[in-house]
């Protein structure tokens, strides 16, 4: 009765799922959806956009700088100056005289243009290197999420395969249990054999429930990473046996690996920073120009009038400004030495990373071939276990084998199937690691980096 109830619930769930429209997802679709929506990738793209604006900000300092100004002054109490009395025929005395007028207005425009400033030029080069690092950071984020999604994708496919295998084993054992029940009812078999078979089936149903729960959790995690509503039913259309890459090469050039490129660009930045500090010893040259207009009136009503009695006076000038650093207390020398140390450290890190990647690649290569061979061996084990189980099952029906022999061979088949699935997933993990090191993982999706 309990078994019929479980089967009825399973059929009801299957019908409910089939009644709802499924969203099929290929591996490429999953990766590209994650690249489009993952927060880490989105934020690195925002940083890339920010770096473009930073370059524009630094470039702006090398473009013409134009500024305007205007002032209005009401001299509420005029200042006075003392004139010597000699000018008025009274030597030895001074006369206070009011100078200027009460109302003054001035307006002007200034233009400054850098003609030579090596520090500013080096700063612009540094900003462009920052743009390249931001672009590479987006590539790194995309590759990281692609690896994570691919790992989860094949883990979920492997779990789904395990669900199907357990269901097939249950169906197979339930047929034998039915035969055993008939034999026992006719007095030709032992009740204990039937009980053993039912215990085994119950254990398989428990295993099925656990694996189905795990499968649903993995699907939910996939929905979360792709920002798909949890109530949406999805199905993964891939095959866990699908090869992701062609036959790998035993030698690989890592200079184009994203981590190596990032280190290379960082080394370039340290080198440019050192040059920029040294460039501060050089003089800078700037062109400047000023144009202005001013008016002075005794009465406010005439302030903005122009006439013979109320004139506006123009003024303009052009010039060059040279700035020559002379002595800074050895500040630039200290900064330059610090920058040299950072550059040397970066070169060491780059070389060390290159050597480490060669080791990691060779280890991943060995792991790849070992796991591929393991998959082939486990597949052969399944074939042998299925053959042994079929023969023992036939002998059991003919009364030539015991229930213990049958259950033992059934356990052997189940172990072989689980070992195969574990080996298959380990092979995919090794394959994915090799693709990450060789950057072949980029072949699984269309990058958004331009």
């Amino acid at each position: 009765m309990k078994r019929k109830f479980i089967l009825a619930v399973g059929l009801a769930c299957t019908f409910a799922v089939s009644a709802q429209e499924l969203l099929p997802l290929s591996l490429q679709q999953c990766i590209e959806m994650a690249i489009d929506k993952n927060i880490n990738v989105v934020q690195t793209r925002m940083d890339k956009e920010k770096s473009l604006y930073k370059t524009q900000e630094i470039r702006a300092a090398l473009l013409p700088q134009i500024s305007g100004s205007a002032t209005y002054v009401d001299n509420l109490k005029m200042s006075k100056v003392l004139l010597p009395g000699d000018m008025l025929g009274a030597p030895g005395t001074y006369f206070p005289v009011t100078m200027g007028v009460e109302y003054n207005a001035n307006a002007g425009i200034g233009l400054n243009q850098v003609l030579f400033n090596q520090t500013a030029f080096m700063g612009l080069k540094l900003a462009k290197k920052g743009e390249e690092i931001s672009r590479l950071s987006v590539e790194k984020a995309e590759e990281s999420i692609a690896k994570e999604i691919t790992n989860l994708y094949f883990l979920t496919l492997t779990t789904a395969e395990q669900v199907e295998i357990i269901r097939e084993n249950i169906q197979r054992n339930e047929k034998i249990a039915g035969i055993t029940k008939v034999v026992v009812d006719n007095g030709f078999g032992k009740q204990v054999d039937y009980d053993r078979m039912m215990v085994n089936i119950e254990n398989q149903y428990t295993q099925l429930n656990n694996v189905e729960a795990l499968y649903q959790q993995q699907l939910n995690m996939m929905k979360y990473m792709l920002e798909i509503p949890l109530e949406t039913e999805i199905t993964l259309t891939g095959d866990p046996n699908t090869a992701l890459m062609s036959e790998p090469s035993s030698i690989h050039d890592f200079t184009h690996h994203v981590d190596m490129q990032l280190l290379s660009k960082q080394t370039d930045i340290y080198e440019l920073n050192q040059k920029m500090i040294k460039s501060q010893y050089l003089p800078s040259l700037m062109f400047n120009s000023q144009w202005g207009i001013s008016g002075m009136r005794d009465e406010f009503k005439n302030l903005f009038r122009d006439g013979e009695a109320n004139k506006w006076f123009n003024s303009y000038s052009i010039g060059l400004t040279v700035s020559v650093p002379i002595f800074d207390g050895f500040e630039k020398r200290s900064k330059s030495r610090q920058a040299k140390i950072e550059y040397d450290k970066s070169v060491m890190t780059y070389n060390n990373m290159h050597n480490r990647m060669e080791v990691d690649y060779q280890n991943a290569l060995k792991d790849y071939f070992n796991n591929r061979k393991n998959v082939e061996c486990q597949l052969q084990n399944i074939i042998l276990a299925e053959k042994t189980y079929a023969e023992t099952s036939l002998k059991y029906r003919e009364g030539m084998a015991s229930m213990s022999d049958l259950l033992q061979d059934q356990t052997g088949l189940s172990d072989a199937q689980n070992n195969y699935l574990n080996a298959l997933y380990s092979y995919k993990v090794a394959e994915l690691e090799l693709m990450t090191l060789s950057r072949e993982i980029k072949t699984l999706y269309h990058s958004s980096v331009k």
Side-chain angles (χ1 to χ4, degrees):
M1 184 65 183
K2 182 179 178 181
R3 180 62 51 239
K4 292 181 179 179
F5 173 75
I6 294 177
L7 290 174
V9 172
L11 290 173
C13 293
T14 303
F15 177 77
V17 171
S18 61
Q20 183 176 358
E21 184 177 357
L22 293 176
L23 175 62
L25 293 172
S26 65
L27 176 59
Q28 181 176 339
Q29 287 175 317
C30 289
I31 294 176
E32 292 182 353
M33 288 175 67
I35 286 176
D36 184 55
K37 299 178 180 180
N38 180 261
I39 183 173
N40 292 330
V41 181
V42 172
Q43 287 181 344
T44 53
R45 281 200 289 263
M46 294 173 67
D47 289 337
K48 178 175 177 287
E49 184 179 5
K50 179 182 176 181
S51 68
L52 296 176
Y53 296 138
K54 184 64 178 179
T55 302
Q56 294 176 7
E57 175 190 348
I58 295 176
R59 184 183 290 111
L62 299 174
L63 298 177
Q65 307 293 309
I66 301 175
S67 61
S69 62
T71 59
Y72 160 72
V73 178
D74 183 350
N75 297 302
L76 299 176
K77 185 173 179 62
M78 306 288 291
S79 61
K80 298 180 181 295
V81 296
L82 295 178
L83 296 179
D86 296 347
M87 299 175 59
L88 302 176
T93 62
Y94 293 91
F95 295 92
V97 178
T98 301
M99 301 293 290
V101 294
E102 183 177 355
Y103 302 101
N104 291 272
N106 299 277
I109 295 177
L111 168 66
N112 295 295
Q113 172 62 56
V114 174
L115 298 180
F116 179 80
N117 188 323
Q118 188 63 23
T119 302
F121 297 151
M122 296 301 296
L124 184 59
K125 290 183 178 180
L126 278 171
K128 291 181 178 180
K129 286 294 180 182
E131 286 185 28
E132 295 176 9
I133 287 181
S134 296
R135 177 185 58 79
L136 289 171
S137 297
V138 175
E139 289 189 32
K140 181 177 175 61
E142 288 183 351
E143 292 181 20
S144 297
I145 193 62
K147 179 181 180 181
E148 189 174 352
I149 287 293
T150 304
N151 200 336
L152 178 59
Y153 191 89
F154 280 97
L155 178 62
T156 307
L157 288 178
T158 303
T159 305
E161 189 80 6
Q162 188 176 10
V163 169
E164 293 303 316
I165 288 176
I166 296 173
R167 287 176 178 171
E168 290 176 1
N169 289 338
I170 290 175
Q171 292 176 359
R172 185 186 299 115
N173 288 337
E174 285 183 337
K175 289 181 181 179
I176 295 177
I179 296 173
T180 304
K181 178 64 173 173
V182 173
V183 173
V184 171
D185 291 343
N186 292 329
F188 295 104
K190 299 178 181 180
Q191 180 65 35
V192 67
D193 289 341
Y194 176 74
D195 293 340
R196 286 177 180 175
M197 180 58 71
M198 293 308 298
V199 169
N200 188 52
I201 293 175
E202 288 295 336
N203 291 335
Q204 288 181 325
Y205 269 101
T206 300
Q207 183 185 12
L208 177 62
N209 291 335
N210 293 335
V211 176
E212 284 181 334
L214 178 61
Y215 175 67
Q216 191 58 51
Q217 291 171 1
Q218 292 166 354
L219 287 179
N220 288 340
M221 178 56 68
M222 182 68 75
K223 294 176 189 177
Y224 164 75
M225 297 183 70
L226 303 183
E227 295 191 8
I228 296 175
L230 287 177
E231 60 271 15
T232 302
E233 292 294 337
I234 65 174
T235 179
L236 307 184
T237 60
D239 185 342
N241 295 283
T242 302
L244 298 177
M245 61 183 297
S246 57
E247 191 71 11
S249 172
S250 59
I251 302 176
H252 188 74
D253 180 15
F254 297 101
T255 56
H256 298 294
H257 192 279
V258 64
D259 288 336
M260 296 299 297
Q261 290 190 64
L262 281 169
L263 281 176
S264 177
K265 299 302 179 185
Q266 189 63 55
T267 301
D268 292 343
I269 284 181
Y270 286 133
E271 185 179 17
L272 284 173
N273 187 45
Q274 188 179 4
K275 292 180 179 179
M276 184 176 71
I277 294 172
K278 291 181 179 180
S279 70
Q280 295 175 6
Y281 288 106
L282 300 175
S284 60
L285 179 64
M286 177 177 290
F287 170 80
N288 51 72
S289 176
Q290 300 288 332
W291 175 86
I293 185 172
S294 61
M296 294 160 283
R297 307 287 189 266
D298 288 324
E299 297 182 357
F300 181 79
K301 65 180 181 179
N302 296 324
L303 184 61
F304 298 103
R305 293 181 180 179
D306 188 20
E308 191 64 29
N310 301 296
K311 289 185 176 295
W312 288 90
F313 301 96
N314 295 324
S315 63
Y316 48 88
S317 65
I318 58 173
L320 296 174
T321 301
V322 179
S323 178
V324 182
I326 298 177
F327 181 70
D328 64 352
F330 304 110
E331 178 185 2
K332 287 187 284 292
R333 186 184 69 175
S334 299
K335 288 182 177 180
S336 177
R337 290 176 177 178
Q338 293 178 60
K340 177 64 167 56
I341 291 175
E342 292 296 330
Y343 171 76
D344 292 340
K345 287 170 58 180
S346 182
V347 172
M348 293 174 61
T349 302
Y350 180 88
N351 293 332
N352 181 68
M353 175 68 77
H354 188 274
N355 295 335
R356 177 60 185 271
M357 282 193 169
E358 287 183 341
V359 173
D360 289 345
Y361 185 80
Q362 292 302 320
N363 290 339
L365 200 62
K366 288 182 174 63
D367 197 32
Y368 170 82
F369 286 116
N370 181 62
N371 280 282
R372 187 170 72 177
K373 184 177 180 181
N374 194 22
V375 169
E376 295 172 356
C377 292
Q378 294 301 331
L379 188 57
Q380 291 300 318
N381 285 342
I382 288 181
I383 295 174
L384 292 175
E386 287 178 343
K387 180 180 179 182
T388 302
Y389 179 80
E391 292 177 356
T392 305
S393 177
L394 179 61
K395 290 180 179 180
Y396 174 76
R397 295 176 185 178
E398 295 174 350
M400 299 175 63
S402 66
M403 176 60 69
S404 297
D405 294 334
L406 183 63
L407 292 178
Q408 183 177 355
D409 289 345
Q410 194 279 329
T411 302
L413 174 59
S414 179
D415 290 342
Q417 291 167 338
N418 289 331
N419 291 337
Y420 169 74
L421 291 177
N422 291 333
L424 182 60
Y425 177 66
S426 297
Y427 171 61
K428 286 302 165 187
V429 172
E431 187 178 26
L432 191 57
E433 182 64 25
L434 203 58
M435 293 181 70
T436 303
L437 288 170
S438 63
R439 294 201 79 185
E440 285 194 46
I441 194 169
K442 291 173 66 68
T443 62
L444 300 179
Y445 62 93
H446 299 293
S447 176
S448 64
V449 182
K450 303 299 183 185

